[in-house]
Amino acid sequence: MLCPRPAIPRLPSNILNDVDASADSSSLRLSCWKGDITTLTDITAIVNAANAQLEGCFRPKHRCIDSVIHAAAGPRLRDACHSLIEDQGHIEPVGSAKVTPGFRLPASWVLHTVGPQLHRSQKLQPYHETQLASCYKSCLDAAESLPALEDGRKVVAFCCISTGLFAFPSEIAAEIAVGTVASWYKEHPDTTITQIIFDTFLEKDWTLYQQKLAQLKKSIPENLTPSPQPSSQPSQSLQISSQIPNAAVTKARTWINEASNLIISAGAGLSAATGLDYTSTALFDNHFRAFTEKSLRRLYDVFGHVDWDSPGQKWGYYFLHLSMVRSWPTSPVPSTLRELVGRFPSKYFIRTSNADGFFLKNGFDPEFISTPQGQYGFLQCFNKCRPDAVFPSDPLVDAALPFIDSVTQVLTDSTKIPHCPFCGGEATICVRGEHYFNAGPFRAQNMKWNRFLRGLDGHQLGESNGSAATVILELGVGLNTPGVLRWPNENLVIGSESRGFRLIRVGMGASGCVPWELEEQDLAVGVSADIKTALDLLTS
């Protein structure tokens, strides 16, 4: 199928653009970042937690870091690693490090180190800790010989070595990682390395490293005074940064601060930022375990699912889903967004593809919200017998919940299965799916949205002088249904030099990328980060 849009870059660019550009070479900065290590740009080397053969993971499509790095770098990386092992005549010992080019990676080099591997039932021993510390020391020693970037910086990103599949306890591993790097710095005050990044992928690891860096920062005056250096050498300092400065974030923050109007465009990634992740197998298993027997593993898997054993099973799931969504606990994200829209009284609008009622239940004014994909708060006649055959779902959910079996999760009382109150026919959730969707209740919202846009055009045309008069803050809008929000947002920006629209696209991986031509025209910027972190940075 041909896509009418220009190709979207496979990986986000300039994630680390301008990292510490203002810091001179006499400063070593420790930072933490959460995301895919293979996407980091403007970086000297990334660290791979390799196996002893250095030839990548031997399980096809395995999601370990070794497999991910080899897949992103391409087959020449495995060939280079094979040559290293062949030349030395033995497998790589635990705790050492080897260097290869990065090939197709944005990073120039890869530092391969073999960490200690524990079995799940194996008790951690002191020699395991010594081996892990040796991994970090060996990588830093190897990085010293690598050439710096054109601007003089030398940036190394560490993955979480030996944790996860190799069962090294995460908290102890983080403590060893941060402590070893700090100790190595004390012993090498004239190092050419200017930046160390601890790259994490899991939220728990991100939290651990944030804590360890905060503890280290407090101890710097007492424990991390660099060794004396000749007076001809500049005195170095160890700097701890909880966030990585980013040119994209700086630009986006400036656009928001200078804007007169704000459009928030929200997709499934926003719900995921609050924990309601439709791709999470753990969430599904926790709330809908009985349905895993039907090969359903994620909330997304249920969309379009028709192979129900009975209407009671189908509505048992639907009612439990609706109940879970409406009672989902709050998070810091909505309060940050409320503070943001508070800067634009009556000059903002929210358009979201989410049907979960996130904005309504978190106190946002419904006069400024449009939900073109529908809402879980309504059921509708499947046959659309009449335009107003739409009715609230909450009373039906409340009536059905006491009759849902806690083990099978089947609705046991057939009288609680909803039907259209007008024709008596089948009912369904009022969410856009196929031909049955009744968009009637949402037309008024759409009219308000169009009036808002017309008002912007009339006010802005010819008056923006290149500034971002209206910012579109796109949060977690993925690639599954780009015609709903993603492409319309780009259309608003295209050719808008005189209209003053600017697009800020926040998302992980490809979801955070913007078209090259819009980026080059300074009309759009991509911020590749999780939404909570991005919002904290953009609103600070």
Side-chain angles (χ1 to χ4, degrees), residues 349 367 443-459:
F349 206 93
E367 288 296 310
R443 290 197 180 99
Q445 297 177 349
N446 203 51
M447 291 174 63
K448 293 176 184 177
W449 163 245
N450 288 325
R451 282 199 299 269
F452 179 80
L453 290 180
R454 287 196 298 270
L456 294 181
D457 279 343
H459 174 70

Side-chain angles (χ1 to χ4, degrees), residues 50-56 58 66 78 81-86 88 90-92 114 117:
N51 57 37
Q53 289 76 25
L54 297 190
E55 293 189 354
F58 298 109
D66 197 13
R78 178 165 291 188
C81 289
H82 176 77
S83 297
L84 286 174
I85 294 296
E86 194 172 56
Q88 71 182 18
H90 57 81
I91 61 175
E92 188 71 7
V114 181
Q117 299 183 21

Side-chain angles (χ1 to χ4, degrees), residues 301-320:
D301 294 341
V302 185
F303 294 148
H305 183 77
V306 296
D307 187 24
W308 301 103
D309 294 342
S310 66
Q313 186 185 55
K314 179 177 79 170
W315 282 101
Y317 173 83
Y318 280 170
F319 283 140
L320 287 173

Side-chain angles (χ1 to χ4, degrees), residues 21 26 36 63 78 294 299-300 339 367 388 400 407 475 511:
S26 64
D36 183 351
R63 296 304 298 168
R78 178 165 291 188
K294 298 189 67 61
L299 297 178
Y300 270 141
E339 178 185 345
E367 288 296 310
D388 61 345
V407 177
L475 301 171
S511 296

Side-chain angles (χ1 to χ4, degrees), residues 127-177:
Y127 73 86
H128 291 133
E129 299 182 20
T130 302
Q131 289 174 333
L132 184 59
S134 180
C135 290
Y136 286 91
K137 293 176 184 176
S138 298
C139 288
L140 293 170
D141 289 341
E144 277 289 271
S145 63
L146 297 178
L149 300 173
E150 291 183 1
D151 58 7
R153 293 178 300 116
K154 186 181 288 188
V155 185
V156 178
F158 281 98
C159 64
C160 298
I161 303 170
S162 287
T163 59
L165 294 173
F166 294 153
F168 203 106
S170 296
E171 183 167 3
I172 298 175
E175 187 170 342
I176 291 173

Side-chain angles (χ1 to χ4, degrees), residues 98-139:
K98 288 292 189 294
V99 182
T100 66
F103 298 107
R104 290 174 54 197
L105 289 166
S108 301
W109 306 92
V110 179
L111 301 168
H112 305 265
T113 187
V114 181
Q117 299 183 21
L118 285 72
H119 303 296
R120 291 292 174 186
S121 58
Q122 187 176 1
K123 185 178 180 181
L124 183 69
Q125 300 295 332
Y127 73 86
H128 291 133
E129 299 182 20
T130 302
Q131 289 174 333
L132 184 59
S134 180
C135 290
Y136 286 91
K137 293 176 184 176
S138 298
C139 288

